[in-house]
């Protein structure tokens, strides 16, 4: 429908790969150890992404499960095999019912547990339902996904009281919405994205207004580390100039691949967000 071609596909892979390879590089000197991905159509595109020009030397592998999402898109986790060892992974379906009583399928929530540089962490990857039909009209869907994340965290804590947990994704809600505030309050999480949005900055722009739908939440025990454990260092929006439109009425907005049906050849309609841990 949007007239994708091999050339456009390769351009998209190259640009997404270039963006990923540069996230946090200024602060750390290297590529990210863990990358949460949204809008993944299938495993083939992940493999093509890992093999692309800017990522082929990054030692990435991936975790991905096909979901029943009606648009055919999933979440996934990329991880550097030299920094992270997977212990377990599982996808959790979110049960939704439409107004007419039929099932409404959305993206699964992905849990990946593993060893990050000798320390166990649990990563929960999300892509919650959009606001396309209206924020209030679709809120119940995001609250259902929030409840699923709550169940996952509760289950982790039953077996591991002081588990270190990272919740990442495109939530299609802001840090101020109930779906995210309840997770922060219920499980003593920290959401550094609460202070990052401003009138001139965010991870996505809609009708000339910035929102921080893309977020990373962490358990507060990342602030109580010994010298041998990871601790939270900083979080930020990766909104480098190369990801932005550089002229015109929408200057500074994300440089998108498509605007409606029109191909523009950009990166994405979202800016990535990132978090840095240090020892």
């Amino acid at each position: 429908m949007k007239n994708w071609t091999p050339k456009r596909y390769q351009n998209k892979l190259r640009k997404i790969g270039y963006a990923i390879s540069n996230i946090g590089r200024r602060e750390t000197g290297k590529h990210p150890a863990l990358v949460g991905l949204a809008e993944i159509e299938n495993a083939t595109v992940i493999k093509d992404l890992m093999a692309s020009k800017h990522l082929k030397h990054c030692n990435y592998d991936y975790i991905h499960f096909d979901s029943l999402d009606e648009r055919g898109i999933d979440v996934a986790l990329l991880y550097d095999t030299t920094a992270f060892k997977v212990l377990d992974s599982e996808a959790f379906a979110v049960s939704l019912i439409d107004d007419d009583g039929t099932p409404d399928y959305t993206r699964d929530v992905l849990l990946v547990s593993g060893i990050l540089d000798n320390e166990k962490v649990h990563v929960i990857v999300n892509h919650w339902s959009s606001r396309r039909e209206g924020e209030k009209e679709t809120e119940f869907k995001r609250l259902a996904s929030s409840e699923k994340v709550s169940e996952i965290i509760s289950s982790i804590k039953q077996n591991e009281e002081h588990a270190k947990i990272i919740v990442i994704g495109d939530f299609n809600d802001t840090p101020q919405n109930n779906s995210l505030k309840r997770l922060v309050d219920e499980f003593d999480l920290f959401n550094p994205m609460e202070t990052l949005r401003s009138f001139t900055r965010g991870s996505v722009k809609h009708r000339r207004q910035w929102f921080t739908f893309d977020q990373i939440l962490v358990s507060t025990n990342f602030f109580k580390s010994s010298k041998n454990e990871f601790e939270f260092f900083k979080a930020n929006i990766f909104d480098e100039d190369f990801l932005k439109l550089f002229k015109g009425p929408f200057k500074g907005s994300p440089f998108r691949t498509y605007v409606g049906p029109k191909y523009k050849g950009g990166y994405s309609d979202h800016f990535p967000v990132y978090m840095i841990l240090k020892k």
Side-chain angles (χ1 to χ4, degrees), residues 143 146-147 150 178-187:
L143 287 170
S146 175
E147 178 59 33
S150 177
N178 289 334
S179 58
L180 285 148
K181 287 185 72 69
R182 63 175 291 242
L183 291 176
V184 168
D185 295 340
E186 186 177 350
F187 296 105

Side-chain angles (χ1 to χ4, degrees), residues 157-216:
K157 285 182 169 288
Q158 277 184 352
N159 300 313
E160 199 178 330
E161 184 181 354
H162 302 294
K164 285 195 166 179
I165 296 169
I166 303 170
V167 184
I168 63 176
D170 172 6
F171 297 94
N172 276 304
D173 264 343
T174 72
Q176 289 73 37
N177 285 114
N178 289 334
S179 58
L180 285 148
K181 287 185 72 69
R182 63 175 291 242
L183 291 176
V184 168
D185 295 340
E186 186 177 350
F187 296 105
D188 194 27
L189 301 178
F190 172 64
N191 186 351
M193 305 301 158
E194 284 189 38
T195 61
L196 289 180
R197 189 197 74 85
S198 69
F199 288 110
T200 58
R201 200 168 184 232
S203 70
V204 64
K205 200 172 191 181
H206 181 62
R207 294 180 179 172
R208 298 184 183 271
Q209 185 176 354
W210 286 105
F211 297 90
T212 310
F213 287 166
D214 305 88
Q215 298 163 59
I216 304 173

Side-chain angles (χ1 to χ4, degrees), residues 126-140:
N126 301 265
H127 181 195
W128 293 359
S129 298
S130 79
R131 298 179 169 193
R132 193 170 289 111
E133 289 85 33
E135 179 185 349
K136 288 300 179 187
E137 290 81 356
T138 56
E139 182 183 29
F140 76 96

